[in-house]
Amino acid sequence: QCGDKNNGIIDTEVRLFITGPGGSVNAALNLANYITHSPLNITGIAVNNCSSASALVWLACGTREIFPYSRIMLHETTHMICEDVRYKADRLEEIVADLKRYNDSAYEIIAEAFGKTKEEIRELIGGKDYYIYADELERMGVATIVDTL
């Protein structure tokens, strides 16, 4: 029925299995926006390696589970050069500004999941690929290890 709390969705419990090497931070932030503002109760389940943009989507989930031998990888956002590499200064400034905003948004998602500040997350990641395994994530209170499906 139109206008009800969950927009006519019958089952509000969703299990989202996430794995992958990453990809577009823009797409990941779009999904994170949906997940965090959705009327659905979305449980993210990290399968195997859940890296970069995939990890951001997983961290945006209200409930996070992870398989025992899985891990996530976090890092600062990057810009892939897919266009003419002869940038003008104004275009470079735009790219840097976008990267800073994307990093800020990503750090906000990570900080909320980890119960830390954005500054603490910035120090934790510190310009490197930061891998965190399932047992560590469970000890940190970020996720629960899946023992059964």
Side-chain angles (χ1 to χ4, degrees):
Q1 101 192 17
C2 190
D4 67 354
K5 185 174 181 179
N6 68 0
N7 298 320
I9 298 168
I10 294 170
D11 188 357
T12 60
E13 300 296 321
V14 174
R15 298 172 78 205
L16 183 62
F17 291 81
I18 305 169
T19 187
S24 166
V25 69
N26 190 37
L29 293 175
N30 286 339
L31 279 168
N33 272 327
Y34 177 78
I35 289 167
T36 57
H37 296 93
S38 171
L40 302 171
N41 298 317
I42 300 174
T43 297
I45 303 170
V47 180
N48 198 19
N49 288 318
C50 190
S51 300
S52 189
S54 301
L56 282 180
V57 172
W58 179 72
L59 287 169
C61 295
T63 303
R64 290 170 299 278
E65 297 179 355
I66 188 166
F67 282 97
Y69 306 116
S70 298
R71 68 182 183 175
I72 68 168
M73 186 275 287
L74 304 169
H75 63 90
E76 294 176 337
T77 58
T78 58
H79 175 74
M80 298 294 290
I81 296 179
C82 299
E83 45 192 87
D84 190 344
V85 295
R86 295 174 298 195
Y87 288 127
K88 293 186 169 136
D90 288 348
R91 178 66 182 127
L92 288 172
E93 289 172 0
E94 289 172 10
I95 291 169
V96 169
D98 281 347
L99 285 173
K100 286 180 179 179
R101 289 189 71 153
Y102 283 146
N103 267 337
D104 194 55
S105 297
Y107 289 156
E108 193 169 307
I109 291 167
I110 298 165
E112 185 169 327
F114 279 69
K116 296 187 179 289
T117 66
K118 286 193 287 188
E119 291 72 28
E120 289 172 315
I121 295 302
R122 193 179 321 274
E123 282 183 33
L124 187 67
I125 295 171
K128 64 183 179 292
D129 291 348
Y130 180 59
Y131 291 90
I132 316 166
Y133 290 83
D135 59 332
E136 297 170 289
L137 288 161
E138 187 171 58
R139 272 196 307 276
M140 298 166 121
V142 174
T144 303
I145 294 178
V146 174
D147 58 0
T148 185
L149 292 178

